[in-house]
């Protein structure tokens, strides 16, 4: 009762795209476990998805230069031993060849990057080499001090290539993390908020920003659930849009939604942006 599910008509429409399928690197590391759902969402949106393990890049079997998009997937890289995403980030930042490869990727203006859950934590720690990611938070233990796996409500508040036409949407999404609380350095929360880089907020069933558990599953200030880089080409999200890209993955949905859930629009937006 009182559940608000709002999907503006504009978020249903997708511009025409070419018939060429861009390639997305579905990136994973030891302990990552969400690569299959991520690949399925991108394939449904018109991509060719390629499974890329970090060792493939490090050993030269795969080059990021051959991709148009990259998605860092969720899970528990290195068992979160060095903190959420910490080991994964250090494996990049402390290996010159990998740091150079990822720095070159983020400098490109013709690619899109998505980080979800553990991938969000990874990219937050890579913020020093991501243009326009100044002021991003790091992610630490949920305020409830336990793993949270539930459907949460979020409102899309950002824009850019990933979220075009979705602003104002209020939708259920999967949360599944133990360390999802956004922690900002002094003044950075206001800077990200004022610049429009907060892309999603947890909300209550009545549509208000969620500041209390369980509507806010981790205790993030102002309900922060996702952020973008300054140009919107990099999106980091603690909740999992790829796990609710199909309507059958929802606990309930209006029958008129058909097969495609509203979160598939995020992946289709990326397809449109890449032409």
């Amino acid at each position: 009762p009182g559940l608000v599910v709002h999907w503006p008509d504009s978020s249903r429409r997708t511009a025409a795209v070419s018939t060429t399928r861009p390639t997305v690197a579905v990136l994973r590391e030891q302990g990552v476990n969400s690569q299959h759902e991520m690949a399925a969402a991108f394939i449904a949106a018109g991509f060719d998805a390629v499974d890329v393990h970090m060792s493939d890049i490090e050993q030269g079997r795969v080059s990021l230069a051959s991709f148009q998009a990259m998605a860092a997937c969720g899970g528990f890289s290195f068992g979160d031993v060095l903190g959420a995403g910490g080991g994964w980030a250090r494996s990049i930042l402390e290996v010159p060849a990998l740091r150079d490869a990822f720095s070159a990727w983020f400098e490109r203006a013709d690619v899109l990057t998505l980080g979800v859950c553990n991938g969000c934590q990874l990219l937050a720690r890579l913020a020093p080499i991501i243009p326009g990611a100044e002021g991003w938070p790091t992610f630490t233990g949920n305020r409830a001090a336990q793993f949270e796996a539930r459907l949460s409500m979020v409102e899309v508040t950002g824009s850019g290539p990933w979220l075009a036409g979705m602003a104002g949407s209020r939708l259920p999404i999967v949360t599944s993390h133990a360390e999802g609380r956004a922690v900002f350095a002094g003044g950075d929360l206001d800077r990200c908020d004022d610049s429009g880089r907060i892309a999603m907020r947890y909300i209550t069933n009545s549509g208000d920003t969620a500041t209390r558990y369980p509507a806010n599953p981790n205790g993030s200030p102002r309900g922060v659930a996702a952020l973008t880089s300054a140009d919107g080409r990099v999106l980091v999200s603690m909740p999992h849009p790829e796990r609710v890209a199909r309507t059958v993955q929802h606990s309930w949905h209006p029958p008129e939604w058909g097969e495609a859930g509203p979160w598939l629009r995020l992946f289709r937006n990326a397809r449109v942006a890449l032409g």
Side-chain angles (χ1 to χ4, degrees):
L3 179 67
V4 176
V5 180
H6 178 53
W7 181 11
D9 287 342
S10 61
S11 71
R12 298 173 183 266
R13 297 192 293 269
T14 304
V17 296
S18 70
T19 57
T20 302
R21 296 174 68 92
T23 54
V24 55
V26 179
L27 188 66
R28 61 187 177 92
E29 180 51 281
Q30 173 187 328
V32 164
N33 58 23
S34 297
Q35 67 270 21
H36 299 295
E37 302 101 308
M38 187 71 76
F42 275 104
I43 290 169
F47 283 80
D48 284 334
V50 180
D51 177 41
V52 178
H53 193 276
M54 286 294 299
S55 61
D56 294 326
I57 303 172
E58 185 173 10
Q59 297 175 23
R61 293 187 294 267
V62 173
S63 170
L64 291 179
S66 62
F67 296 95
Q68 291 77 55
M70 177 174 67
C73 300
F76 307 92
S77 58
F78 298 104
D80 288 344
V81 169
L82 298 177
W88 196 354
R90 288 175 63 175
S91 74
I92 294 170
L93 295 173
E94 297 182 9
V95 177
L98 288 177
R99 184 183 180 110
D100 290 347
F102 278 83
S103 294
W105 171 268
F106 292 123
E107 291 289 343
R108 289 174 59 184
D110 61 340
V111 298
L112 297 176
T113 308
L114 174 66
V116 173
C117 195
N118 201 211
C120 168
Q121 297 157 343
L122 162 70
L123 295 185
R125 291 174 180 262
L126 295 184
I129 64 171
I130 301 176
E134 299 83 4
W136 275 6
T138 54
F139 293 87
T140 189
N142 299 340
R143 193 169 297 281
Q146 63 185 10
F147 181 84
E148 292 291 328
R150 63 176 69 243
L151 276 175
S152 297
M153 289 292 293
V154 296
E155 179 173 6
V156 177
T157 55
S159 58
W162 291 99
L163 300 170
M166 296 183 69
S169 299
R170 296 173 176 176
L171 301 165
I173 193 169
V174 169
T175 54
S176 181
H177 56 253
E179 298 181 61
R181 179 164 56 93
V183 176
F184 292 84
D188 283 345
L189 175 56
D190 288 334
R191 282 192 283 271
C192 286
D193 211 347
D194 293 344
S195 64
R197 285 185 287 160
I198 295 178
M200 301 178 205
R201 299 182 193 272
Y202 296 107
I203 60 172
T204 66
N205 285 348
S206 58
D208 299 320
T209 297
T211 58
R212 299 177 62 183
Y213 181 86
N216 182 325
N218 49 50
S220 290
R222 301 184 197 172
V224 172
L227 301 100
T228 64
S229 57
D231 62 6
R233 301 188 71 85
V234 183
L235 172 66
V236 292
S237 171
M238 276 309 301
H240 290 264
E242 81 281 8
R243 292 188 180 178
V244 278
R246 301 177 63 203
T247 52
V248 296
Q249 295 170 304
H250 290 68
S251 59
W252 173 88
H253 63 86
E256 63 268 22
W257 280 9
E259 165 64 18
W263 286 110
L264 187 59
R265 174 62 189 268
L266 182 147
F267 300 93
R268 288 174 170 170
N269 277 341
R271 178 70 182 84
V272 170
L274 292 172

